[in-house]
Amino acid sequence: MSRRLRWAAAIAAAVVVAAVGGWIVFASLRSPSPDEAALAYLHAVESGDPKAVEATGAEVSATALAALDGATERIARPAVTGTHGTGENRRVEVSFRLGGEEHDATLSMSAVNGRWVVDGSWLGAVTPSTTAGTVVAIGAATLPAGDDTVLLPGTYAVAAAPAALLDGTSEVTVLPGETTAVEVDASLRPEATEAAQQHLDDHLTACTTPAPSPPPGCGIRLPWGLEFRDVSEVRYRIEQQPTVTLTTDGFTAAGGVLVATVTGTGQDGAPRTTTYRTDDWSLRGDVDFTAEGLRLTVW
């Protein structure tokens, strides 16, 4: 073979190698197909990793991602069974296992910035209720009671909240396109009564700041109207705080000892100071449990 032919053959071989290499790079960098993107999304949900789900670009709320960590069972054995549509919108038929049963669903896919992304139509929802408070918890997520909250398919432990004050858990399975109700039978932890007592003590400390008249919502009733024409100041001394008895929606507090010294003008027009004492200072009211703790409302 002449030198010219050898050079031509070498150049041709180099071109072939470059073309093959370019195809390999192109193949490795190409965007996943709708089927592949859908399966990658399902595997991310199966893993229970919120960051992996978020990385797929799917339309999933922060609440649903936080709740995923509290799932007691996630989807398993996901598979793609068919694809429909053309252009930038596709429907991918999938199957998966959850709650001991096989389920079928459809994922709506859209082309977004050069890749296929699942929309929110595949998600399900839960409507929780609770016998105490206004919220429940799934993992790190807080859900409002009585409202629909969209979640990823899975089985979840729905707990009374706040967990530091309330006990009670119910399990619910969320399926694509379905809304499922669940009730949590909440009960008080000992810490709830302790917290209520501290709240009441703080409230009564504010109640007993020296003032010209007893403040409302403090359970203080003084008969000074029979002996005073006018009152300039009432000073209090708490000898014993009322003790709280708590339920899931209210409280009573009894057994308090309060001394009040009233200064002012007597009915005869002369300066007057009188001390009153009650050995059964009592109050009652409502209690509300929130995500942050509890709140007392004294009647």
Side-chain angles (χ1 to χ4, degrees), residues 27-122:
S28 65
L29 294 179
R30 72 177 179 82
S31 298
S33 67
D35 290 12
E36 293 168 332
L39 193 57
Y41 170 74
L42 293 177
H43 281 310
V45 176
E46 181 184 25
S47 74
D49 184 353
K51 291 184 178 180
V53 176
E54 195 172 21
T56 67
E59 299 177 14
V60 183
S61 69
T63 298
L65 290 173
L68 183 61
D69 188 50
T72 57
E73 183 185 357
R74 296 185 291 273
I75 66 169
R77 300 207 298 265
V80 171
T81 58
T83 305
H84 308 282
T86 58
E88 295 186 347
N89 296 289
R90 306 289 177 87
R91 298 187 314 279
V92 179
E93 305 295 333
V94 300
S95 65
F96 60 91
R97 188 168 181 80
L98 180 64
E101 297 181 0
E102 293 291 334
H103 300 274
D104 297 317
T106 301
L107 274 61
S108 296
M109 313 285 295
S110 299
V112 179
N113 296 325
R115 66 171 179 170
W116 291 99
V117 175
V118 180
D119 73 8
S121 62
W122 183 70

Side-chain angles (χ1 to χ4, degrees), residues 262-288:
V262 180
T263 300
T265 303
Q267 294 291 357
D268 58 0
R272 184 183 179 94
T273 297
T274 302
T275 297
Y276 302 93
R277 177 186 178 91
T278 175
D279 293 317
D280 190 19
W281 185 20
S282 61
L283 307 93
R284 62 189 306 178
D286 298 323
V287 60
D288 295 312

Side-chain angles (χ1 to χ4, degrees), residues 184-213:
V184 178
D185 186 10
S187 60
L188 298 171
R189 294 172 58 90
E191 291 83 355
T193 299
E194 295 171 8
Q197 184 69 60
Q198 184 61 56
H199 276 247
L200 183 64
D201 291 352
D202 293 343
H203 175 71
L204 296 183
T205 297
C207 282
T208 53
T209 300
S213 62

Side-chain angles (χ1 to χ4, degrees), residues 29 38 64 70 73 89 129 131 165 169 177 199 202 221 238 259 268:
L29 294 179
E73 183 185 357
N89 296 289
S129 60
T131 57
L165 304 180
T169 303
H199 276 247
D202 293 343
R221 299 169 184 83
I238 299 175
V259 176
D268 58 0

